[in-house]
Amino acid sequence: MNNLLTLDPASATGNEVVQIAANLYDFLIELHPEETTRILPGLAQQWEIAPDGRSLSFVLRRGVRFHSGAPVTAEDVVWSLRRVLLLNLALASPWKSYGFSAKNVSQLIRTVDEYSLRIDLPTPTDPKMLLYTLATSVSAVVLDRREVMAHEKNGDMGAAWLTTHAAGSGPFRLDQWRAKEILMMSRNDDYWRGPAKLRRVVMRHMTESQSMRLMLARGDLDMATGLSVPDINALKAMPGLTAHTVQRGTLYYVAMSMQDAKFADVRVRRAMRKLIDYQGIDRAVMPYYGLLHQRPIPLGLAATLPEPGYALDVAGARALLASAGLGDGFNTTIRVVAEAPFVNIATSLQATLAQAGIQAAVLPGTGNQVYGAMRERKFEIIVGRGGGGAEPHPHSSLRALVYNPDNRDAARLTNFQGWRTGFHSPRLNRLIETALLEPDAERQLRLYQEIQQVYDEEGGAIQPLSQMVETVVYRDAVRGYVGHPSATTRLHAVHKHARG
């Protein structure tokens, strides 16, 4: 839980919080865990896209209640979505990319009646993308507005309280969360889909893979994630244990800050691209964590180009550095979350940079320290993970990794990693905007392929190296677990089978 900093849906970033939110709250709609472009009903039993693609209408199911006992109404949905824009915290960024703002959200997201609402799009966009965001983003969960506002302080719309509390209608209630220690949820017996099969879920923060391995083997844990490669291999060989792997859209990457004069030079960024041992990292570090991938659009989408074939090329990197006046190398820092596989990637990068005369100090830290520095644009190199990908659409990753419509410090587009790195390409911005609105599927596909080619030419500040897979090891007594590619893994149907 290193990256679990808050439970507030307006500001809770990272994969770790998504599964928690998906079990404490409900979304309007959901994505099928295997056919990820297939939209399923959630709180909304019906939805419709207007013929001109500029508005979406939703009809809620009746009889759903929050954990407080209050009914879930369209006003709660509208208030929850408006709150994200009004607070303008980290999770407002995807909504701002569609043109929503604190000034216009009250006019654009509104109730029609007690169980119906309408969302008007402020600017043209692909309405499927908005549906995918509604189904996967923590910012789209539906809050109990009365419960939250009962804890408002100094006009914060309950933000301080929601840091460690929840107010949802999901299959589980939050009992307690202690940062980097434990999170406990108990069954919501009045859940509209019927009570969950598990009475209680306990999530523990554990950093030692070997400890988790021993506890799984003894039966002290039912399930674990974040295990090391040797421990997963050892557990797979034991009877009564299963390893379950799900491919995510999230990407592992090396990011460079173009606020730093060195990395503002495209030759240096191209040199850095040649100083990553992609194949070595893939073989030694990434089994059970990721699949080799070097494009900003994830694997599995029709738009994704074949791999460009980047490989470690120290001589080529040295030539580029020399042309940039840095033939003798330089000193720098690599910030990294202090856990596998990030530290292992950073250590490999440190060694290959040294071969080109770049002396890099590895600075391990918490998620807040690493990504906090990135959000403040105060870093040199980061080994990280991100890039959207929850929505099964090329724009999801391009918006997160590449798109940067306003590079000013004052813009504070903190959830856009293009902004965080200071990478600003008007050409790519225009292409991304055009591709999103292109109604012809073939032309849209060609635009997304062109974007990847241009990104390579311009030496993007974020170099993907692997696409995330999550490997969960669980005991055979656990039944009904289905990991979701968007991380919205729901535990409603999970149960434990007692051997007779």
Side-chain angles (χ1 to χ4, degrees):
M1 299 182 186
N2 273 334
N3 293 326
L4 187 57
L5 310 176
T6 176
L7 301 181
D8 184 353
S11 57
T13 59
N15 285 321
E16 290 80 4
V17 76
V18 180
Q19 178 175 304
I20 294 167
N23 286 285
L24 296 174
Y25 294 96
D26 283 309
F27 293 72
L28 276 176
I29 50 179
E30 301 170 5
L31 296 186
H32 193 282
E34 294 167 353
E35 304 169 47
T36 53
T37 58
R38 181 178 160 199
I39 300 171
L40 304 174
L43 289 178
Q45 58 184 2
Q46 296 174 231
W47 58 92
E48 184 179 19
I49 300 172
D52 64 0
R54 294 298 299 271
S55 68
L56 300 92
S57 300
F58 299 87
V59 178
L60 304 186
R61 62 183 73 246
R62 297 171 184 247
V64 180
R65 294 190 172 273
F66 288 110
H67 299 155
S68 68
V72 177
T73 67
E75 190 174 348
D76 294 295
V77 179
V78 167
W79 183 87
S80 300
L81 295 176
R82 287 177 178 176
R83 177 180 180 270
V84 175
L85 272 302
L86 294 172
L87 288 177
N88 196 27
L89 300 172
L91 267 291
S93 291
W95 297 95
K96 289 191 287 188
S97 75
Y98 298 127
F100 292 99
S101 68
K103 291 182 179 179
N104 67 23
V105 68
S106 295
Q107 289 74 45
L108 297 173
I109 302 180
R110 60 190 190 279
T111 58
V112 175
D113 58 39
E114 189 176 6
Y115 291 100
S116 304
L117 65 134
R118 173 171 164 157
I119 300 176
D120 291 325
L121 297 173
T123 57
T125 191
D126 185 340
K128 295 194 300 295
M129 186 65 201
L130 187 67
L131 287 172
Y132 294 152
T133 298
L134 285 168
T136 60
S137 175
V138 173
S139 67
V141 302
V142 179
L143 292 159
D144 183 341
R145 71 187 190 285
R146 293 187 181 89
E147 179 71 14
V148 174
M149 290 304 286
H151 298 89
E152 182 184 34
K153 289 185 179 179
N154 303 317
D156 73 345
M157 300 186 78
W161 182 76
L162 278 172
T163 298
T164 55
H165 296 82
S169 59
F172 294 93
R173 305 168 184 262
L174 178 66
D175 293 326
Q176 189 178 46
W177 172 51
R178 296 196 297 271
K180 294 189 182 180
E181 187 177 345
I182 196 167
L183 186 143
M184 293 185 287
M185 299 185 285
S186 59
R187 181 170 58 205
N188 171 19
D189 289 327
D190 297 322
Y191 190 49
W192 56 275
R193 283 177 165 134
K197 295 184 178 181
L198 290 173
R199 184 172 55 86
R200 188 173 65 156
V201 174
V202 179
M203 298 180 177
R204 297 175 60 184
H205 174 62
M206 300 182 67
T207 58
E208 294 295 329
S209 177
Q210 192 170 42
S211 297
M212 287 190 281
R213 169 184 163 182
L214 292 171
M215 293 177 74
L216 272 169
R218 289 199 308 258
D220 297 332
L221 291 178
D222 294 307
M223 179 181 293
T225 188
L227 290 154
S228 70
V229 173
D231 287 331
I232 292 174
N233 285 330
L235 289 166
K236 284 175 67 177
M238 295 181 186
L241 291 165
T242 297
H244 177 86
T245 298
V246 175
Q247 181 177 301
R248 296 270 172 84
T250 308
L251 301 174
Y252 289 94
Y253 58 70
V254 174
M256 297 153 275
S257 174
M258 290 177 60
Q259 304 293 95
D260 185 303
K262 297 186 295 295
F263 300 122
D265 189 321
V266 67
R267 293 168 295 184
V268 177
R269 298 198 302 277
R270 288 175 179 158
M272 289 289 295
R273 191 162 65 190
K274 291 178 179 290
L275 289 171
I276 302 171
D277 184 9
Y278 305 91
Q279 290 74 22
I281 291 170
D282 183 61
R283 289 191 302 269
V285 177
M286 300 311 290
Y288 305 115
Y289 288 114
L291 303 171
L292 179 65
H293 187 54
Q294 301 167 328
R295 297 287 190 191
I297 294 179
L299 295 164
L301 298 180
T304 307
L305 286 174
E307 300 298 333
Y310 299 138
L312 181 63
D313 177 8
V314 176
R318 280 188 172 276
L320 284 165
L321 290 172
S323 71
L326 294 170
D328 294 330
F330 54 85
N331 294 328
T332 189
T333 58
I334 304 172
R335 291 182 179 270
V336 61
V337 177
E339 60 186 48
F342 302 101
V343 170
N344 313 74
I345 297 170
T347 302
S348 171
L349 180 61
Q350 181 186 43
T352 51
L353 290 178
Q355 293 178 44
I358 300 173
Q359 303 303 314
V362 175
L363 306 178
T366 65
N368 191 39
Q369 290 168 330
V370 175
Y371 296 113
M374 197 182 192
R375 286 190 290 269
E376 294 300 321
R377 309 220 279 191
K378 295 179 179 177
F379 73 98
E380 293 174 87
I381 301 171
I382 280 177
V383 170
R385 185 180 68 198
E391 302 106 329
H393 192 295
H395 187 73
S396 176
S397 291
L398 294 175
R399 177 189 65 199
L401 287 175
V402 180
Y403 188 63
N404 178 10
D406 188 344
N407 197 41
R408 296 174 303 126
D409 286 344
R412 297 291 298 166
L413 301 180
T414 56
N415 218 38
F416 290 173
Q417 290 165 69
W419 179 88
R420 293 181 189 181
T421 59
F423 178 74
H424 180 69
S425 168
R427 181 184 177 190
L428 281 168
N429 286 339
R430 286 192 299 271
L431 282 169
I432 290 168
E433 291 164 0
T434 302
L436 181 64
L437 299 179
E438 177 53 60
D440 183 87
E442 286 301 317
R443 283 199 293 268
Q444 188 183 56
L445 184 70
R446 288 195 296 271
L447 282 168
Y448 281 127
Q449 292 173 341
E450 182 183 354
I451 287 166
Q452 293 165 87
Q453 292 165 342
V454 173
Y455 188 74
D456 281 357
E457 292 167 12
E458 296 194 3
I462 291 179
Q463 177 53 53
L465 56 90
S466 186
Q467 182 163 331
M468 179 184 176
V469 296
E470 182 181 50
T471 300
V472 176
V473 179
Y474 56 83
R475 299 186 62 77
D476 287 352
V478 175
R479 305 290 175 86
Y481 179 84
V482 180
H484 201 290
S486 71
T488 54
T489 300
R490 294 175 170 89
L491 303 177
H492 178 253
V494 175
H495 62 286
K496 290 171 67 174
H497 175 72
R499 297 186 179 184

